[in-house]
Amino acid sequence: MGSYALPRSALSRPLRALLPALLVGVLGASAALVAPSDAHAAESTLGAAAAQSGRYFGTAIASGKLGDSAYTSIASREFNMVTAENEMKIDATEPQRGQFTFANADRVYNWAVQNGKKVRGHTLAWHSQQPGWMQSLSGSTLRQAMIDHINGVMGHYKGKIAQWDVVNEAFADGSSGARRDSNLQRTGNDWIEAAFRAARAADPAAKLCYNDYNVENWTWAKTQAMYTMVKDFKQRGVPIDCVGFQSHFNSGSPYNSNFRTTLQNFAALGVDVAITELDIQGASASTYASVTNDCLAVSRCLGITVWGVRDSDSWRSGDTPLLFNNDGSKKAAYTSVLNALNGGASTGPGDGDGGEEGGQSGQLKGVGSGRCVEVPNSATADGTAVQLYDCGGAANQKWEHTAAGELRVYGNKCLDAGGSGSGARIQIYSCWGGDNQKWRLNSDGTVVGVQSGLCLDAVGTGTANGTKIQLYSCGNGSNQRWTLAS
């Protein structure tokens, strides 16, 4: 189990103790595209570059800094999504029970809208930054106060907010995988569900998100606990639309390349994902590029928000974690993010099963082998395992990626996962619409199963004729990268 970042302060982010200024590990970013697409001219700002793939690139805005022309100049130019840093939190919007005030929240909202940006709402139910009156409540009285707060804030902004972080940071740090002990948790284990149901009723048009930190590494207990909750909510019809990964990467909670697997696995549950509060200790250019490419590789990744504009605006300013220096100049990390966005996926996030849009067809060729995925001996029987073989022009090597996310051969047979774990065989089967027959074609060249979140993989990193194909945990190898081209 990896080490964890320090727990949150009960106060606003700028008061949280700073971590030592150590660089996080870095990983290079893959830029291969799965399939040809319409070329875009390179954009010169983060928001415009992200918009090419239907995503956003946003920032956290503090109302008290809107009088700083250097701050607003960068924010207006670069970003197309805004999150209020503290102004929409509980203590800021309902300082006295039943008495709502939105002056500072509206100032952020109005600035964003006047500058052509959408707004994320942050946050409605949280153990931290509660006003004193709420801290003194418990049991059913506190539960009702939470619901009343959700109704009051969402009612004020009904139809105006793109996404709401309905519940924030409800799981404990460390390796227990338990819920955080808080006054809200002590009202009953169903408090998160109650919050989401209240939020859906308050504003049916808003995307409803669960948001947390130290949940980016797929192997961590906190991540798995959150995954179990979201899976349960989806199975039982609890209204959750998205999951926010704060992504405060530092020496205590470093970036790991399995972050992409985490995003893919949550997306496979049928929710959108978003990177909501990104900052990286030391602002490593390659790590920023990797995170950006992780979002681009997952079709249900809505976008990225960095937590602040310049280093001097960061709650962790001593870690110099953002894309702009104190004087507003661009860092190398800015360029790496912009380049990744300009070279990223040309199709964007959606509410379906994800992946590149349908209508593409051709040979599915392995980057590592140079050989094509084929049905051996032009067989048509359900359950026939596919393999690598020298590319030719026969029908048993021609695949069509449909709008439903299927990879069809012969017109009526689908590439089918015979299981959902690593090592599951890949075969053809009559198309029936199951998630084990749906695939996301990602910008880094991976082909990921919607049901499993695992990658299409040439067994044993094999490259020879006859090498079988399987599902396997995504790991950056050339045996997991493919092109689909006529």
Side-chain angles (χ1 to χ4, degrees), residues 69-418:
S69 60
Y71 177 88
T72 56
S73 176
I74 297 170
S76 178
R77 180 187 75 226
E78 294 290 342
F79 304 106
N80 59 352
M81 180 70 80
V82 162
T83 304
E85 188 167 355
N86 288 293
E87 292 80 357
M88 292 186 184
K89 292 175 181 173
I90 309 168
D91 56 354
T93 53
E94 195 179 1
Q96 301 297 326
R97 187 173 184 184
Q99 298 178 17
F100 291 89
T101 176
F102 297 102
N104 288 328
D106 284 351
R107 190 178 183 205
V108 174
Y109 175 84
N110 291 334
W111 180 88
V113 172
Q114 289 162 8
N115 285 275
K117 305 174 194 317
K118 293 183 179 180
V119 179
R120 293 192 78 252
H122 176 80
T123 178
L124 296 168
W126 189 25
H127 70 276
S128 186
Q129 286 182 246
Q130 293 180 4
W133 68 264
M134 181 174 278
Q135 295 176 40
S136 69
L137 301 182
S138 62
S140 60
T141 305
L142 175 59
R143 175 69 65 88
Q144 189 59 51
M146 176 192 76
I147 292 171
D148 291 344
H149 179 79
I150 291 170
N151 288 334
V153 176
M154 293 190 76
H156 180 76
Y157 290 109
K158 186 173 183 179
K160 298 178 179 179
I161 299 290
Q163 307 164 34
W164 269 109
D165 290 333
V166 177
V167 173
N168 199 42
E169 301 175 0
F171 287 93
D173 291 315
S175 58
S176 70
R179 292 278 185 88
R180 180 189 297 276
D181 180 30
S182 70
N183 60 348
L184 291 168
Q185 178 64 28
R186 290 191 292 273
T187 69
N189 203 53
D190 64 337
W191 75 272
I192 301 176
E193 176 177 345
F196 273 90
R197 291 193 185 278
R200 175 66 87 228
D203 187 355
K207 285 185 181 290
L208 307 181
C209 306
Y210 176 81
N211 192 54
D212 216 325
Y213 67 100
N214 283 358
V215 287
E216 294 77 22
N217 188 318
W218 178 245
T219 68
W220 284 2
K222 191 174 179 180
T223 310
Q224 292 299 312
M226 184 173 77
Y227 178 85
T228 299
M229 180 190 74
V230 175
K231 184 176 182 180
D232 171 63
F233 280 10
K234 292 299 292 183
Q235 289 174 340
R236 293 193 297 111
V238 179
I240 184 171
D241 304 310
C242 46
V243 177
F245 298 82
Q246 294 183 15
S247 306
H248 297 295
F249 294 117
N250 52 58
S251 56
S253 182
Y255 170 80
N256 187 292
S257 61
N258 71 21
F259 183 33
R260 185 174 300 186
T261 299
T262 302
L263 296 175
Q264 290 167 333
N265 287 347
F266 275 87
L269 293 177
V271 292
D272 294 327
V273 294
I275 297 169
T276 56
E277 304 181 22
L278 178 64
D279 46 34
I280 299 175
Q281 189 175 3
S284 160
S286 56
T287 305
Y288 258 110
S290 293
V291 173
T292 304
N293 278 306
D294 289 340
C295 179
L296 291 171
V298 179
S299 65
R300 293 197 75 143
C301 184
L302 299 169
I304 298 170
T305 296
V306 288
W307 205 249
V309 179
R310 305 160 299 191
D311 283 338
S312 55
D313 307 311
S314 171
W315 64 295
R316 297 170 50 207
S317 58
D319 289 351
T320 61
L322 296 176
L323 301 176
F324 295 88
N325 293 305
N326 293 350
D327 64 1
S329 59
K330 300 171 182 176
K331 297 184 183 181
Y334 171 92
T335 303
S336 72
V337 169
L338 185 65
N339 288 343
L341 292 170
N342 276 321
S346 61
T347 57
D351 297 321
D353 40 82
E356 299 281 347
E357 292 180 353
Q360 298 165 338
S361 61
Q363 295 173 324
L364 189 60
K365 182 184 292 188
V367 170
S369 65
R371 293 190 163 92
C372 287
V373 176
E374 73 157 27
V375 186
N377 304 314
S378 298
T380 59
D382 286 348
T384 302
V386 298
Q387 64 181 16
L388 288 179
Y389 211 81
D390 292 334
C391 299
N396 65 328
Q397 290 185 355
K398 292 182 179 178
W399 301 90
E400 177 191 4
H401 190 227
T402 71
E406 302 159 330
L407 281 165
R408 290 191 174 221
V409 66
Y410 309 137
N412 63 350
K413 298 290 182 179
C414 278
L415 195 68
D416 177 288

